[in-house]
Amino acid sequence: MTDPQPLYDLERCDVRNVLRRLPADVRDAMKEMPYVYLAGGFIRDTIIRENPSDIDLFVEAENAAEMQSRVSALLLKLTDVSFRHSTQHFVDTIPMEVDYKVGGVRFYRTRNAVTVRKRGWKWAVQVVTRWYAEPEKQVSEFDWTVCQVAIRRRAVVLFDADDDGANFRGMCAPTFYSDL
């Protein structure tokens, strides 16, 4: 990965609108798991009032083992699937490139992500498993500036009520808004 470019803050109203559009399960996971962040097309499509195709979630981790553990915890949190294996190894139990169903939740795993479809969700959620850098580095690696955007929970929570998105930070490429 190259050195990340400096990122600008996303407009507060855009952060609020994106958070409101997310399924409650996803929003709650982002609130409770500070290493989880949203990035890419869902944010862009919400800002320009288009219909997103999916929701891309990333986890920040120091190494692949930590990433796997955090992805497993995130998948279990999002889906409420009770599974007899430990949380750390949940990802490994999902077969590669097979539509896998557990308790009404569908999983599809590739070498880059685990896609989750759950009743009540309008969009599929892709939990990226191949890259696990912090958003400031990861977003800079996206091919198109209109996708170089992320939202994550702030390290220091300002107050309990989060209706206005104050406890989240949106960041984007310097040319994100002008390139929309």
Side-chain angles (χ1 to χ4, degrees):
M1 246 183 228
T2 59
D3 286 337
Q5 64 181 350
L7 297 176
Y8 288 24
D9 284 338
L10 208 55
E11 296 290 330
R12 181 88 165 262
C13 63
D14 288 333
V15 172
R16 253 192 327 264
N17 289 336
V18 169
L19 291 171
R20 286 181 187 149
R21 195 172 196 190
L22 286 172
D25 306 1
V26 174
R27 197 173 42 250
D28 291 346
M30 290 176 64
K31 284 179 185 178
E32 294 172 26
M33 302 171 142
Y35 52 83
V36 174
Y37 61 95
L38 170 70
F42 183 88
I43 301 169
R44 176 204 60 225
D45 290 345
T46 297
I47 291 170
I48 61 174
R49 293 182 172 89
E50 289 190 359
N51 190 28
S53 58
D54 61 13
I55 298 168
D56 295 322
L57 295 178
F58 291 75
V59 297
E60 183 178 347
E62 292 294 320
N63 54 54
E66 183 180 49
M67 180 272 305
Q68 182 183 31
S69 176
R70 287 179 169 187
V71 166
S72 292
L74 174 60
L75 289 171
L76 291 168
K77 169 79 176 147
L78 288 173
T79 62
D80 292 326
V81 170
S82 58
F83 212 73
R84 65 181 177 272
H85 299 289
S86 76
T87 307
Q88 268 188 317
H89 302 291
F90 181 68
V91 171
D92 286 338
T93 66
I94 302 169
M96 289 291 277
E97 299 183 6
V98 173
D99 198 13
Y100 184 66
K101 192 171 181 179
V102 178
V105 179
R106 288 176 43 212
F107 297 92
Y108 190 84
R109 179 178 163 213
T110 66
R111 67 185 187 104
N112 294 336
V114 177
T115 301
V116 182
R117 297 182 194 285
K118 183 177 168 184
R119 266 184 243 119
W121 286 356
K122 188 173 182 178
W123 304 282
V125 173
Q126 288 196 344
V127 179
V128 176
T129 58
R130 187 166 181 187
W131 301 279
Y132 46 87
E134 63 269 13
E136 294 81 1
K137 286 185 182 176
Q138 190 62 59
V139 165
S140 298
E141 293 293 315
F142 294 165
D143 292 341
W144 308 101
T145 58
V146 293
C147 289
Q148 291 180 346
V149 58
I151 296 175
R152 75 167 319 153
R153 195 185 92 180
R154 293 183 185 276
V156 176
V157 176
L158 304 175
F159 45 83
D160 288 339
D162 205 354
D163 294 339
D164 70 347
N167 287 322
F168 287 86
R169 176 177 179 236
M171 58 200 88
C172 61
T175 60
F176 172 75
Y177 281 108
S178 62
D179 289 346
L180 288 178

